[in-house]
């Protein structure tokens, strides 16, 4: 019995060491948290009761594919977040209110949903859509998927780097605490044009070693927050700083042609793991893209 116990302990230690060496530990589902805004790492409440205890309030009933919406305050351009919870009280989605004139092509494609005359909504879902409002409970603390605009567009963001490559995502830069950025040209999968009107608004990031999803970046070409740190967004960033995500020699100039020289962007990261585990061997470990 003692030998079996020692073997079990040794195996567990080896598994732990392998997980740490590989970057991201093993999780039940996509991760164990949803933190937003890089360097702030503000955590969304994982349960409805936790949200209510922190002062979040419901703004309506359960929405198919997303859940019951909760806000800390009326969404603004500086504080745009809404969290959603299943009928069983688990975090199921998050959305952002995006103010101003977003790219018409991305509205027509279903990426930005009209919210009112001044803003649009874009969302990420983490649960199986049909069960969100049914009272089902889930074993995963966050979820088992990442879906853009669940219940409507329903675009499944790849959960592994290999799947992303197979679906035409192009490999970008690896940034410590985030992972390897992968972006999709909606009009030209696998062949980036760097046109802002066809750049998918979400950029998934994967662990360099394991290839599993670490985080998702939302980027908007419509300036939401012009002064750093005052709100939930990161930035503002000029075209060349946004292009740093993509390991491309032509990206900054191409972005400038589509949105203008000196244009400013905002971003917001959503991270699913302990960010300190997201390591990089090089900024462009898989080379450059066009």
């Amino acid at each position: 019995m003692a030998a079996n116990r020692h073997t079990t302990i040794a195996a567990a230690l080896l598994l732990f060491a392998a997980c740490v060496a590989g970057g991201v530990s093993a999780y039940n589902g996509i991760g164990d948290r949803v933190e937003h805004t890089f360097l702030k790492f503000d955590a969304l409440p994982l349960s409805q009761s936790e949200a209510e205890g922190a002062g979040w309030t419901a703004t309506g009933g359960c929405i198919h594919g997303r859940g019951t919406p909760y806000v800390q305050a009326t969404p603004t351009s500086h504080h745009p977040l809404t969290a959603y919870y299943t009928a069983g009280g688990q975090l199921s989605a998050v959305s952002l209110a995006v103010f101003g004139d977003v790219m018409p092509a991305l509205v027509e494609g279903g990426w930005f949903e009209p919210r009112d005359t001044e803003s649009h909504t874009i969302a990420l879902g983490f649960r199986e859509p049909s069960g969100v409002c049914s009272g089902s409970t889930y074993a995963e603390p966050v979820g088992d998927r990442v879906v853009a605009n669940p219940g409507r567009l329903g675009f499944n963001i790849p959960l592994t780097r290999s799947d992303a490559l197979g679906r035409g995502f192009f490999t970008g830069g690896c940034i410590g605490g985030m992972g390897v950025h992968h972006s999709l040209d909606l009009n030209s999968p696998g062949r980036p044009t760097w046109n802002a009107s066809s750049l998918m608004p979400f950029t998934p990031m994967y662990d360099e070693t394991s290839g599993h999803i670490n985080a998702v970046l939302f980027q908007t070409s419509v300036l939401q927050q012009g002064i750093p740190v005052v709100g939930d967004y990161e930035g503002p960033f000029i075209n060349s700083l946004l292009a740093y995500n993509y390991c491309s020699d032509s990206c900054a100039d191409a972005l400038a042609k589509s949105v203008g020289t000196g244009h400013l962007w905002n971003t917001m990261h959503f991270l699913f793991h302990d960010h300190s585990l997201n390591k990089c061997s090089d900024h462009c470990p898989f080379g450059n893209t066009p």
Side-chain angles (χ1 to χ4, degrees):
M1 292 294 290
N4 288 339
R5 182 167 61 86
H6 292 155
T7 300
T8 300
I9 292 172
L13 290 173
L14 286 171
L15 177 60
F16 174 79
C19 289
V20 171
V24 175
S25 300
Y27 291 101
N28 183 10
I30 61 170
D32 63 356
R33 69 195 70 189
V34 178
E35 294 177 337
H36 68 86
T37 313
F38 197 71
L39 298 182
K40 285 188 175 181
F41 306 114
D42 291 333
L44 292 178
L46 293 185
S47 69
Q48 181 177 326
S49 60
E50 183 185 349
E52 292 173 345
W56 294 65
T57 57
T59 61
C62 195
I63 300 170
H64 173 71
R66 301 186 188 183
T68 301
Y70 275 73
V71 299
Q72 288 182 300
T74 300
T76 66
S77 60
H78 284 189
H79 301 287
L81 293 175
T82 298
Y84 298 78
Y85 295 90
T86 68
Q90 296 173 283
L91 181 69
S92 51
V94 61
S95 71
L96 301 94
V98 182
F99 293 79
D101 297 325
V102 299
M103 292 283 179
L106 296 175
V107 177
E108 294 166 6
W111 292 93
F112 290 99
E113 304 167 352
R115 179 172 174 268
D116 54 34
T117 59
E118 298 179 346
S119 64
H120 291 76
T121 294
I122 189 167
L124 285 175
F126 310 120
R127 308 282 185 186
E128 199 283 315
S130 65
V132 166
C133 295
S134 69
S136 299
T137 56
Y138 301 87
E140 304 87 7
V142 173
D144 62 355
R145 66 199 65 201
V146 182
V147 182
N149 292 347
R152 295 186 182 179
L153 176 66
F155 183 95
N156 287 288
I157 293 174
L159 300 184
T160 64
R161 180 173 182 268
S162 60
D163 187 20
L165 294 176
R167 290 173 55 188
F169 283 70
F170 43 90
T171 302
C174 189
I175 298 177
M178 302 178 189
V180 185
H181 294 64
H182 286 69
S183 299
L184 181 67
D185 190 313
L186 297 168
N187 291 342
S188 180
R191 306 181 68 177
T193 63
W194 307 116
N195 188 315
S197 66
S198 60
L199 183 64
M200 191 178 89
F202 290 120
T203 297
M205 284 152 277
Y206 302 96
D207 183 78
E208 181 185 339
T209 303
S210 70
H212 294 300
I213 196 165
N214 288 339
V216 172
L217 166 71
F218 167 69
Q219 72 264 348
T220 172
S221 62
V222 184
L223 186 65
Q224 302 293 301
Q225 177 181 303
I227 302 174
V229 184
V230 299
D232 293 328
Y233 278 102
E234 302 134 355
F237 302 112
I238 59 176
N239 292 320
S240 60
L241 288 179
L242 185 74
Y244 184 73
N245 292 327
Y246 301 132
C247 285
S248 167
D249 295 331
S250 62
C251 178
D253 289 341
L255 286 174
K257 289 179 181 178
S258 65
V259 295
T261 303
H263 189 82
L264 295 175
W265 299 69
N266 284 127
T267 65
M268 191 182 301
H269 288 77
F270 294 95
L271 301 107
F272 308 130
H273 310 126
D274 177 355
H275 63 273
S276 68
L277 297 177
N278 299 334
K279 308 292 187 181
C280 298
S281 64
D282 186 74
H283 178 56
C284 299
F286 300 100
N288 287 1
T289 51

